[in-house]
Amino acid sequence: MDRSQLLRGTLDAATLAVVTEQDGYGYDVLRRLRAAGLSDVGDASVYGTLRRLYKAGALTSYVMPSDEGPHRRYYGITDLGRDQLVEARAAWLEFSRAMTSLLQSKAEVGL
Amino acid sequence: MSSKPSIPGEVEEYVAAVRRALTDLPRAEQDDLLAEVEASLLEATEEGAGPIGARLGAPEQFAAELRAAAGLHEPAPPVGRESDLNRRLRAARGRALAHPAVTALRRLGQELAPIWWVLRAYLAVGAIACALGSAWSSRLPIVPRFGSAETGLTAIGVAVVVSVWLGLELRRHGSPFPRVAVIVNMALLLAAIPVVAQVTDTSSSYQSLLARTNAAEQQLYSGLIYQGVEVDNIYPYSRDGRLLHDVLLYDTTGRALDLPAFHGLDLNRRYVSNGHLELFNSFPIRYYEPGTRLVVRPNAAPYVKVRPVLTPRLPTTKGK
């Protein structure tokens, strides 16, 4: 199955989770998502998602001056974002449990 | 974001191409999105992540992904089935609008807009005057008269205030009907044609009136003018309708109504004299047959039917 399709519905939760650990700027969030195993997450998807979550009030943002290179816009989680993450986590756990049991039993039948 | 040290051309080009695909978004939105993109691309490039195009794909694709993830609307949906040509034109328009020269021009246009606000107010008043067929001030040919030039000036003043206020309001809050605003402005621009024509006409007819008056004033010194037209002869008749000869004419102040020869001495004119001086106020002027001293038709006169005077004669004065 195309992993990018799976990602599409879960990128919000993944981004919120990464930012909750520690504030991060665009490229930094992207790197941490990839390091966590979401290797084929798209650059543009992450930047767009950060922007959307920020506009929706789930993230806050501030600019940090940088000695080398341009200033960086950091994103941090807000209370709203934290609530959203809690909800997403519960939904995901329930969903993944269901899928896991479904796919495992199907696989066993197939075998 | 700011204080860019040196942006590699590759990054700059890529970001510019992405911007071109986002030109339908508000400027601030574009700037925020692209600042993020640019900073990240720079960092990735510094890390030696390889050529941008290979890593990120086509800028248009990147822009579409960015837009989708940011939950921003797609570019204005084409109406019906858009032809290939239309799509190319739209793309060209987007590229043109994103061009730095065009951006600079648009900014300049915004700065100069107040001049247009004043001008369009004048054009609106002028157009109304043209439509109503009002007269225009002759001394101030740019001012239509609504009764008087002062009223016209007041109307222009009021229109300027309203137009500038409207311009500032719309600039601040955006126009609720942008298309209507464009149409109204275009219509006012077109109104310049009749208004300019009217102003030129008024001003040139005033100039020519001045010129005619000046010419007439000059000619008063050398001849006779009746209703702006040069008089080259006068034919006096008696009360019973007979053409008179050698009648001397004077005005109220005792000036002789002289009609001297304009263009040098006219050799064929019959000059009359009082023994000392030649008289130029003797009418009708008669002309000799060329080469002779003979007036062939002394009673020649314009074709007028002279009606005899029926009012009783005034008492004649005795003596001179």
Side-chain angles (χ1 to χ4, degrees), chain B:
Chain B
M1 216 156 78
S2 56
S3 82
K4 296 162 188 163
S6 70
I7 301 171
E10 193 190 18
V11 171
E12 200 174 2
E13 271 171 37
Y14 195 85
V15 170
V18 174
R19 185 185 284 279
R20 285 197 285 277
L22 299 175
T23 42
D24 59 302
L25 297 177
R27 185 74 197 202
E29 185 76 54
Q30 289 179 34
D31 289 347
D32 282 352
L33 276 171
L34 292 168
E36 186 76 65
V37 170
E38 190 179 274
S40 305
L41 290 185
L42 280 176
E43 187 158 350
T45 309
E46 278 163 22
E47 287 182 352
I52 294 180
R55 200 154 42 82
L56 302 177
E60 293 76 21
Q61 198 187 325
F62 185 93
E65 198 181 328
L66 191 65
R67 197 191 275 273
L72 296 164
H73 61 85
E74 290 296 304
V79 181
R81 289 181 58 192
E82 196 181 27
S83 70
D84 190 45
L85 177 68
N86 268 350
R87 209 165 45 246
R88 276 158 195 264
L89 283 176
R90 186 191 297 278
R93 180 174 174 271
R95 277 198 297 278
L97 286 179
H99 194 275
V102 176
T103 322
L105 216 59
R106 283 163 71 102
R107 199 168 305 132
L108 182 69
Q110 279 202 337
E111 279 165 14
L112 296 183
I115 297 176
W116 165 243
W117 297 342
V118 172
L119 192 63
R120 73 179 173 187
Y122 170 70
L123 289 174
V125 174
I128 293 172
C130 286
L132 295 178
S134 309
W136 290 60
S137 167
S138 49
R139 286 192 181 280
L140 291 167
I142 59 162
V143 176
R145 292 167 58 95
F146 295 107
S148 72
E150 285 73 21
T151 324
L153 277 173
T154 313
I156 293 171
V158 170
V160 166
V161 170
V162 170
S163 169
V164 170
W165 173 80
L166 204 63
L168 287 174
E169 280 295 297
L170 293 183
R171 174 177 281 186
R172 216 166 285 146
H173 306 299
S175 169
F177 311 108
R179 265 160 207 263
V180 177
V182 169
I183 291 172
V184 170
N185 278 310
M186 292 304 278
L188 286 175
L189 193 60
L190 284 179
I193 298 171
V195 172
V196 167
Q198 177 68 53
V199 169
T200 342
D201 192 41
T202 311
S203 121
S204 68
S205 67
Y206 180 59
Q207 291 305 325
S208 79
L209 178 70
L210 275 185
R212 275 210 307 277
T213 314
N214 286 341
E217 278 169 2
Q218 279 176 2
Q219 284 180 11
L220 275 176
Y221 296 104
S222 57
L224 294 176
I225 296 291
Y226 177 65
Q227 291 184 346
V229 179
E230 193 180 303
V231 173
D232 57 10
N233 211 340
I234 291 171
Y235 300 87
Y237 286 85
S238 68
R239 60 176 285 133
D240 51 358
R242 281 179 303 113
L243 182 66
L244 301 177
H245 292 285
D246 302 329
V247 175
L248 302 177
L249 298 182
Y250 294 88
D251 75 357
T252 324
T253 59
R255 289 184 304 171
L257 297 183
D258 285 343
L259 192 61
F262 291 123
H263 313 293
L265 192 63
D266 186 345
L267 290 175
N268 292 321
R269 176 169 165 178
R270 173 179 170 267
Y271 292 103
V272 294
S273 142
N274 63 3
H276 302 286
L277 293 165
E278 290 206 296
L279 301 170
F280 295 102
N281 62 336
S282 155
F283 296 97
I285 299 167
R286 288 299 168 205
Y287 294 89
Y288 299 123
E289 195 67 3
T292 69
R293 282 287 166 253
L294 182 70
V295 175
V296 177
R297 294 171 60 202
N299 287 316
Y303 182 74
V304 283
K305 189 169 169 61
V306 179
R307 293 175 176 277
V309 177
L310 296 179
T311 312
R313 266 176 200 278
L314 284 169
T316 49
T317 45
K318 293 249 174 172
K320 286 194 176 178

